[in-house]
Amino acid sequence: MTDLVMIRHAPTAWNAEKRLQGHTDIPLTPESEAMVRQWSIPGKFSDFDWLTSPLSRAARTAELLYGRPVPVDERLSEMRYGDWEGEVLPDLRARLGEEMQDNEDKGLDFLPPGGESPRMVQDRLASLLQEIAERERSTVVVTHFGVIRAIFAKAVDWPMLGKPPVKILQARAHHFRLDPDGFPRVESMNIPLGPIDV
């Protein structure tokens, strides 16, 4: 089996405002860059390969953590929220009412207009996970909450309804093991990277 370590990018201004970012390329704040400089990768992951989402908030987090620019893979981009990017969920729920509730009740098939569902994100990532497993090169990826959540859901067979079995925290690494075909299994969630948690 091959190790996969997933790290969420440091927070942006839109994270602080609880806005849906998706593919909108919001950069890190200076405070977030300072936060990442306090993070460190556990030694057991130090010789892993690295990949990052192309979105600047992830690529910059990866560069600060790794010490130099990290190769980009488009498949690690955040889930697309389409027409809802820049919105906050309470406003969407108030405006759309039952329509929004019906959409959220679809779990893995929750689909913003013009966007992607979590299941689509899983499908998008399947070829990347298979490639990492076939290379047999353990890898750290710096990515996004929606991506980590989709892989976690696949690993534990969670339909994304109700509370998740494990809360995915900021400033943490999430360790999975990939089967030879790239199927993920949880090894350890929420491994601390540094003293700051948001």
Side-chain angles (χ1 to χ4, degrees):
M1 295 178 78
T2 304
D3 294 287
L4 175 72
V5 175
M6 306 189 81
I7 297 171
R8 183 186 179 188
H9 64 82
T12 69
W14 275 24
N15 287 134
E17 296 168 1
K18 301 191 182 305
R19 296 188 182 279
L20 300 172
Q21 290 182 108
H23 279 227
T24 306
D25 201 2
I26 307 299
L28 297 184
T29 63
E31 295 78 13
S32 291
E33 292 204 8
M35 177 190 298
V36 178
R37 289 187 177 97
Q38 297 185 55
W39 294 358
S40 60
I41 297 295
K44 63 184 177 179
F45 307 140
S46 61
D47 63 345
F48 285 15
D49 290 349
W50 282 64
L51 290 171
T52 184
S53 158
L55 295 169
S56 63
R57 58 191 183 268
R60 181 62 176 154
T61 299
E63 180 179 4
L64 289 169
L65 259 178
Y66 191 55
R68 58 183 181 272
V70 169
V72 163
D73 194 298
E74 295 280 345
R75 291 168 290 185
L76 291 168
S77 296
E78 178 60 296
M79 185 175 117
R80 289 183 184 273
Y81 284 95
D83 296 348
W84 291 349
E85 294 193 7
E87 298 265 15
V88 293
L89 279 173
D91 290 351
L92 286 169
R93 288 168 178 150
R95 188 167 74 243
L96 299 175
E98 188 174 331
E99 178 187 347
M100 182 67 174
Q101 186 61 59
D102 289 345
N103 201 345
E104 291 188 271
D105 287 345
K106 294 177 182 176
L108 280 168
D109 296 305
F110 166 79
L111 183 61
E116 289 179 291
S117 69
R119 194 184 305 277
M120 289 174 182
V121 174
Q122 291 177 341
D123 292 344
R124 163 160 55 93
L125 290 162
S127 61
L128 175 60
L129 300 189
Q130 186 172 5
E131 288 167 20
I132 292 170
E134 288 174 353
R135 287 199 303 265
E136 297 183 338
R137 287 290 305 161
S138 293
T139 303
V140 173
V141 300
V142 180
T143 185
H144 307 269
F145 179 72
V147 173
I148 297 170
R149 196 167 177 257
I151 293 304
F152 173 76
K154 186 169 187 131
V156 300
D157 196 25
W158 174 48
M160 286 195 175
L161 294 169
K163 289 187 177 179
V166 176
K167 185 176 180 180
I168 297 169
L169 301 177
Q170 179 63 272
R172 300 291 194 271
H174 310 286
H175 184 190
F176 299 85
R177 303 293 300 280
L178 300 179
D179 290 350
D181 63 357
F183 191 92
R185 314 279 179 185
V186 172
E187 184 72 13
S188 182
M189 299 293 290
N190 294 317
I191 303 164
L193 293 173
I196 296 179
D197 185 30
V198 174

